Amino acid sequence: MSTFHLSRRSVLAGTAAVAAVVSLPLVQGRAQAAAPAGTGYRWRNAVQGGTGFITGVLFHPSVRGLAYLRTDIGGAYRWDDRTDRWTPLTDHIGWDDWNLLGVEAMAVDPAHPNRLYLSLGTYAQSWAGNGAVLRSEDRGATWKRTDLTVKLGANEDGRGCGERLLVDPRDSDTLWLGTRHDGLLKSTDRGATFEAVSFPAAPSATGQGVTLLVAAGRTVYAGWGDSDGTAGRPNLYRTSDGTTWEAVPGQPAGTAARVPIRAAYDKHTRELYVTYANAPGPNGQSDGSVHKLRTTSGKWTEVTPVKPGGPTDDGGTDSFGYGGVAVDARRPGTVVVSTNNRWSLIDTLYRTTDGGHTWKSLKDKAVLDVSETPYLEWGADKPKFGWWIQAVGLDPYDSRHVVYGTGATLYGTRDLKRWAPQIRGVEEASIRQLISPPTGQAHLLSGSGDIGVMYHERLTASPSRGMASNPVFGTATGLSLAAAKPSYVVRAGWGDHGNGAFSNDGGKTWAPFQAQPDVAKTAPGPIAANADGSVLLWSFGTANPGYRSADNGGTWSEVATFPKGATPVADPVDPTRFYAFDTTTGTLHASTDGGRTFTARATGLNSGDTEFQLTAAPGRSGDLWLSLKWNGLYRSTDGGAAFTKVASCWASYTLGFGKAAEGASYPAIYLVGSTETITAVYRSDDEARTWTRINDDQHQWGWIGAAVTGDPRVYGRVYIATNGRGVQYGEPA
């Protein structure tokens, strides 16, 4: 997921840090009006299986089989051993609150097992909204919300650091909240209100601030990420009275202990274990260490399993930091820590049973079973033990039940040898493209950030073929099906061995284009196949022209008249026709010679905004729908010569088509937009004259403006691309 560098913000001790308290459902929409109820739709995830960075996992210390999980952009989840799956807890977060789907931290109350707290806020940039705290008395089934006046950064550097939220061990009504730019906040009413407290360290431009909060007995420790780790500039503080904070004496210094990443307390030995790195991660770490503090005497001991910097077999350097740490609640001196950003020798977990005197790597004898989520094989490569391991959990009721998060999944074991994804229910992909073919085995093809394209034979299981390979893409940038020849599909994306590929079996297997324009390596963009698959158009950003191929990607020629940066759209009936919308001028361009040349047609359509969507209605030539966000929805029935504004909605972000209702002559239309005061998901069975809202207040998923499509074979079924909750699909109940 994306990261950003932050600017400095300051906070004065004692100033209020809470703006408002609201009860759910969350307020949405242009006029902040209450949302109408959905109309009997059942919503589920199309199963991919994880597919995102797990930034935190937290076993409840007082309840067997209960745990919580957080992600950087996809919300929080609750685990239940009885069902062996995770339940999403934040799908109610709506369009206007999209920034709250990133979870910065979690906290539970050992004395009150049903209480759960989340601090939310994906970005701390000026364009992002402020953070919020959710508090629940029923394990996340319902929430109350406190809006903060500060920003949080769940998808920024340091997002895999320790929990920045903590219930005070002396008082369940007191809640501590660490921020990146605004110091330390405190609540004395269980998160209903917060105020800044005096703290010895001052925020800096690095934007880490408080990296962790942990209780050790009745003392609270706070890690600080804006120090350089040298002697005299401490990065670990503590309070024993809940009022006065002091630097912890004798703490580690130097590059390997620059940033405290996570900490865990062994209540049996009264030792606090702290992992360190020279950067907050998950990227950029090249040094690190592990230390323990005997809290009864103040003695520090380094217990680093393996020091970074050693040679590798290929002549490189074994550089990495340390990330996760968990202690065994049942066995004194038993601890698990993780390496992070160790690309040469691959990240691992180290386990000790003697307080860090000796360690064993759990990777060395691990047997990985990824059959439930085959995409983890990354094409032909064997699955790796993991990368970006900063979340580690050890079940307090089962010493052999260990879990750890990676950049793509959550692995778990119950015997310390056999590992498999423990990820059922978690879907975190950022979906970019959706296709529901009219024929074939698969009802869905999806293109995502980070994990390329998937072919979904079933919606209830991770695709058996994993990610589309030959070549493997990281992020997909384009996906297109030939409307009159649906077995032919093309895709584009970021890859190391080519940036475009085609399929002749509906997306089941792929072959790379024989050639590609040079610019494809640095700016792969959207791609389109014409109706019969004989012509391809590929776009490469606003700085480059579009390119055309009439031999299945064997050769490419520049199309000088194609508007730079536009998304090509093929006519679904006439193979000689393509369309493209130029956002800089608000002009619809069309080609009637198979994409060789484009000419301007309708003009004056909201120029200057780069976010739009042009969609062609299936089975009809020249029937175009143009979504222009809050400027509305427009339609052309003459191939873009003229557009008429659709009066039934005032905002349209993305639009798609599905099987027509019984007795209807026009396909069902699915819209993410606004017909009155709320941004929601709608269906129209009468050519956009009227709309019915089909999602509800508990199923909103934040920002869902990338893609929506109906199923051409199943009336009422709709697929929605989310930015962090994978593919949601709904069907009439």
Side-chain angles (χ1 to χ4, degrees), residues 571-572 577 579 615-625 635-640 657 666-667 687:
D571 190 281
R577 293 192 179 192
Y579 311 98
T615 310
R620 289 155 174 78
S621 182
D623 190 352
L624 306 177
W625 296 74
R635 183 186 182 188
S636 172
T637 56
D638 56 9
F657 299 90
Y666 198 82
E687 217 162 330

Side-chain angles (χ1 to χ4, degrees), residues 557-716:
S557 58
E558 181 180 320
V559 182
T561 53
F562 182 84
K564 293 181 179 180
T567 298
V569 175
D571 190 281
V573 175
D574 187 345
T576 67
R577 293 192 179 192
F578 283 95
Y579 311 98
F581 182 66
D582 185 351
T583 60
T584 60
T585 62
T587 302
L588 191 286
H589 295 255
S591 172
T592 58
D593 58 4
R596 294 179 178 85
T597 60
F598 281 78
T599 58
R601 292 198 171 180
T603 61
L605 295 165
N606 182 42
S607 62
D609 196 324
T610 59
E611 295 184 35
F612 74 98
Q613 186 189 82
L614 181 66
T615 310
R620 289 155 174 78
S621 182
D623 190 352
L624 306 177
W625 296 74
L626 182 61
S627 297
L628 292 177
K629 298 173 64 175
W630 52 80
N631 289 290
L633 176 65
Y634 293 77
R635 183 186 182 188
S636 172
T637 56
D638 56 9
F643 279 85
T644 302
K645 189 169 186 179
V646 177
S648 59
C649 65
W650 65 265
S652 178
Y653 299 95
T654 182
L655 179 142
F657 299 90
K659 185 177 181 179
E662 185 175 354
S665 60
Y666 198 82
I669 305 175
Y670 297 92
L671 170 80
V672 175
S674 303
T675 64
E676 293 181 355
T677 58
I678 181 171
T679 300
V681 185
Y682 297 89
R683 188 190 72 229
S684 175
D685 295 328
D686 57 8
E687 217 162 330
R689 286 187 289 273
T690 62
W691 299 91
T692 300
R693 185 188 177 196
I694 59 174
N695 73 325
D696 55 61
D697 290 352
Q698 298 306 309
H699 299 91
Q700 300 195 75
W701 318 289
W703 188 82
I704 50 175
V708 63
T709 187
D711 193 308
R713 289 176 272 180
V714 182
Y715 168 70

Side-chain angles (χ1 to χ4, degrees), residues 5-11 124 180-182 201-207 224 226:
H5 295 289
L6 311 181
S7 59
R8 178 174 179 173
R9 295 188 65 207
S10 62
V11 66
R180 292 166 176 267
H181 298 284
D182 301 279
S204 75
T206 59
W224 188 255
D226 290 344

Side-chain angles (χ1 to χ4, degrees), residues 523-541:
I527 192 170
N530 70 344
D532 62 9
S534 61
V535 176
L536 306 178
L537 279 182
W538 200 351
S539 181
F540 300 103

